[in-house]
Amino acid sequence: MDKQLEDKIMESLEEVIDPELGVDIVNLGLVYGVEMEENNTVIVTMTLTSIGCPLAGVIGEQVKKQLISLEEVENVDVNITFNPPWDKDRMTRYAKIALGVQ
């Protein structure tokens, strides 16, 4: 995938807000990577802030809905992983300020 398309996908994912924290999944550091397969399927590898997150399905559906709206994307697969586990050090400065985390 070229850098321009990857940037477009990541920008689009910034519109997906974690409903519990009120900050987008990119700035929270939940997105570990995106790939594009030959059949225009985007594979998003991401994590959640906790293993038992009750909103896992909601967030996954929001990711799919957000990316399928891009003209380059025909399908979206969301792979949830907990390895490596998420921690607050993955958050951007913006997310840390928004959540009052140091």
Side-chain angles (χ1 to χ4, degrees), residues 15 25 35-36 40 51 54-56 71 73 83 95:
E15 299 298 318
I25 63 173
E35 299 174 41
M36 175 74 86
N40 294 337
I51 290 175
L55 298 171
E71 67 182 62
V73 177
N83 189 19

PDB file of all heavy atoms in Angstrom, residues 15 25 35-36 40 51 54-56 71 73 83 95:
ATOM      1  N   GLU A  15     -11.674   9.255  12.879  1.00  0.00           N
ATOM      2  CA  GLU A  15     -13.086   9.588  13.076  1.00  0.00           C
ATOM      3  C   GLU A  15     -13.798   8.560  13.969  1.00  0.00           C
ATOM      4  O   GLU A  15     -14.934   8.769  14.369  1.00  0.00           O
ATOM      5  CB  GLU A  15     -13.807   9.673  11.727  1.00  0.00           C
ATOM      6  CG  GLU A  15     -13.253  10.740  10.798  1.00  0.00           C
ATOM      7  CD  GLU A  15     -13.388  12.140  11.360  1.00  0.00           C
ATOM      8  OE1 GLU A  15     -14.446  12.455  11.940  1.00  0.00           O
ATOM      9  OE2 GLU A  15     -12.410  12.918  11.238  1.00  0.00           O
ATOM     10  N   ILE A  25      -9.493   6.264  18.108  1.00  0.00           N
ATOM     11  CA  ILE A  25      -8.697   5.056  18.294  1.00  0.00           C
ATOM     12  C   ILE A  25      -7.255   5.204  17.818  1.00  0.00           C
ATOM     13  O   ILE A  25      -6.368   4.496  18.306  1.00  0.00           O
ATOM     14  CB  ILE A  25      -9.368   3.830  17.633  1.00  0.00           C
ATOM     15  CG1 ILE A  25      -9.486   3.999  16.125  1.00  0.00           C
ATOM     16  CG2 ILE A  25     -10.720   3.551  18.285  1.00  0.00           C
ATOM     17  CD1 ILE A  25      -9.977   2.760  15.385  1.00  0.00           C
ATOM     18  N   GLU A  35      -3.248  -2.830   6.458  1.00  0.00           N
ATOM     19  CA  GLU A  35      -2.716  -3.430   5.236  1.00  0.00           C
ATOM     20  C   GLU A  35      -3.830  -3.445   4.198  1.00  0.00           C
ATOM     21  O   GLU A  35      -4.996  -3.513   4.538  1.00  0.00           O
ATOM     22  CB  GLU A  35      -2.268  -4.867   5.488  1.00  0.00           C
ATOM     23  CG  GLU A  35      -1.170  -5.030   6.507  1.00  0.00           C
ATOM     24  CD  GLU A  35      -0.905  -6.493   6.801  1.00  0.00           C
ATOM     25  OE1 GLU A  35      -0.901  -7.313   5.854  1.00  0.00           O
ATOM     26  OE2 GLU A  35      -0.735  -6.823   7.985  1.00  0.00           O
ATOM     27  N   MET A  36      -3.427  -3.408   2.930  1.00  0.00           N
ATOM     28  CA  MET A  36      -4.385  -3.510   1.838  1.00  0.00           C
ATOM     29  C   MET A  36      -4.047  -4.752   1.034  1.00  0.00           C
ATOM     30  O   MET A  36      -2.916  -4.900   0.561  1.00  0.00           O
ATOM     31  CB  MET A  36      -4.333  -2.271   0.945  1.00  0.00           C
ATOM     32  CG  MET A  36      -5.210  -2.345  -0.290  1.00  0.00           C
ATOM     33  SD  MET A  36      -6.961  -2.168   0.019  1.00  0.00           S
ATOM     34  CE  MET A  36      -7.122  -0.399  -0.015  1.00  0.00           C
ATOM     35  N   ASN A  40      -8.658  -5.229  -2.627  1.00  0.00           N
ATOM     36  CA  ASN A  40      -9.107  -3.983  -1.996  1.00  0.00           C
ATOM     37  C   ASN A  40      -9.746  -4.198  -0.625  1.00  0.00           C
ATOM     38  O   ASN A  40     -10.642  -3.471  -0.230  1.00  0.00           O
ATOM     39  CB  ASN A  40     -10.036  -3.195  -2.911  1.00  0.00           C
ATOM     40  CG  ASN A  40      -9.316  -2.694  -4.147  1.00  0.00           C
ATOM     41  OD1 ASN A  40      -8.097  -2.554  -4.163  1.00  0.00           O
ATOM     42  ND2 ASN A  40     -10.063  -2.430  -5.192  1.00  0.00           N
ATOM     43  N   ILE A  51      -8.975  -6.308  27.837  1.00  0.00           N
ATOM     44  CA  ILE A  51      -9.417  -7.563  27.222  1.00  0.00           C
ATOM     45  C   ILE A  51     -10.938  -7.714  27.297  1.00  0.00           C
ATOM     46  O   ILE A  51     -11.575  -8.148  26.369  1.00  0.00           O
ATOM     47  CB  ILE A  51      -8.706  -8.762  27.880  1.00  0.00           C
ATOM     48  CG1 ILE A  51      -7.232  -8.752  27.484  1.00  0.00           C
ATOM     49  CG2 ILE A  51      -9.351 -10.080  27.460  1.00  0.00           C
ATOM     50  CD1 ILE A  51      -6.391  -9.807  28.149  1.00  0.00           C
ATOM     51  N   PRO A  54     -16.395  -4.134  26.837  1.00  0.00           N
ATOM     52  CA  PRO A  54     -17.747  -4.474  26.401  1.00  0.00           C
ATOM     53  C   PRO A  54     -18.134  -3.853  25.055  1.00  0.00           C
ATOM     54  O   PRO A  54     -19.125  -4.246  24.462  1.00  0.00           O
ATOM     55  CB  PRO A  54     -18.621  -3.930  27.528  1.00  0.00           C
ATOM     56  CG  PRO A  54     -17.831  -2.820  28.128  1.00  0.00           C
ATOM     57  CD  PRO A  54     -16.390  -3.240  27.988  1.00  0.00           C
ATOM     58  N   LEU A  55     -17.342  -2.914  24.576  1.00  0.00           N
ATOM     59  CA  LEU A  55     -17.673  -2.228  23.324  1.00  0.00           C
ATOM     60  C   LEU A  55     -16.834  -2.700  22.146  1.00  0.00           C
ATOM     61  O   LEU A  55     -16.792  -2.034  21.117  1.00  0.00           O
ATOM     62  CB  LEU A  55     -17.529  -0.715  23.528  1.00  0.00           C
ATOM     63  CG  LEU A  55     -18.482  -0.134  24.576  1.00  0.00           C
ATOM     64  CD1 LEU A  55     -18.135   1.307  24.876  1.00  0.00           C
ATOM     65  CD2 LEU A  55     -19.921  -0.262  24.127  1.00  0.00           C
ATOM     66  N   ALA A  56     -16.189  -3.843  22.273  1.00  0.00           N
ATOM     67  CA  ALA A  56     -15.328  -4.358  21.208  1.00  0.00           C
ATOM     68  C   ALA A  56     -16.089  -4.470  19.887  1.00  0.00           C
ATOM     69  O   ALA A  56     -15.601  -4.042  18.843  1.00  0.00           O
ATOM     70  CB  ALA A  56     -14.749  -5.712  21.605  1.00  0.00           C
ATOM     71  N   GLU A  71     -13.424   5.214  -1.327  1.00  0.00           N
ATOM     72  CA  GLU A  71     -13.617   4.628  -2.656  1.00  0.00           C
ATOM     73  C   GLU A  71     -12.608   3.522  -2.971  1.00  0.00           C
ATOM     74  O   GLU A  71     -12.908   2.618  -3.748  1.00  0.00           O
ATOM     75  CB  GLU A  71     -13.590   5.694  -3.745  1.00  0.00           C
ATOM     76  CG  GLU A  71     -12.245   6.365  -3.952  1.00  0.00           C
ATOM     77  CD  GLU A  71     -12.285   7.441  -5.020  1.00  0.00           C
ATOM     78  OE1 GLU A  71     -13.018   8.419  -4.831  1.00  0.00           O
ATOM     79  OE2 GLU A  71     -11.573   7.274  -6.025  1.00  0.00           O
ATOM     80  N   VAL A  73     -11.638   1.213  -0.972  1.00  0.00           N
ATOM     81  CA  VAL A  73     -11.857   0.070  -0.084  1.00  0.00           C
ATOM     82  C   VAL A  73     -13.147  -0.653  -0.447  1.00  0.00           C
ATOM     83  O   VAL A  73     -14.203  -0.034  -0.557  1.00  0.00           O
ATOM     84  CB  VAL A  73     -11.909   0.546   1.388  1.00  0.00           C
ATOM     85  CG1 VAL A  73     -12.206  -0.615   2.317  1.00  0.00           C
ATOM     86  CG2 VAL A  73     -10.610   1.236   1.772  1.00  0.00           C
ATOM     87  N   ASN A  83      -1.651  -8.636  21.859  1.00  0.00           N
ATOM     88  CA  ASN A  83      -0.217  -8.839  21.921  1.00  0.00           C
ATOM     89  C   ASN A  83       0.448  -7.953  20.881  1.00  0.00           C
ATOM     90  O   ASN A  83       0.294  -8.199  19.691  1.00  0.00           O
ATOM     91  CB  ASN A  83       0.106 -10.307  21.663  1.00  0.00           C
ATOM     92  CG  ASN A  83       1.554 -10.617  21.916  1.00  0.00           C
ATOM     93  OD1 ASN A  83       2.252  -9.876  22.585  1.00  0.00           O
ATOM     94  ND2 ASN A  83       2.014 -11.724  21.367  1.00  0.00           N
ATOM     95  N   ALA A  95      -3.982  12.739  22.960  1.00  0.00           N
ATOM     96  CA  ALA A  95      -4.851  11.884  23.757  1.00  0.00           C
ATOM     97  C   ALA A  95      -4.559  12.039  25.246  1.00  0.00           C
ATOM     98  O   ALA A  95      -5.461  12.083  26.071  1.00  0.00           O
ATOM     99  CB  ALA A  95      -4.706  10.431  23.335  1.00  0.00           C
TER     100      ALA A  95
END
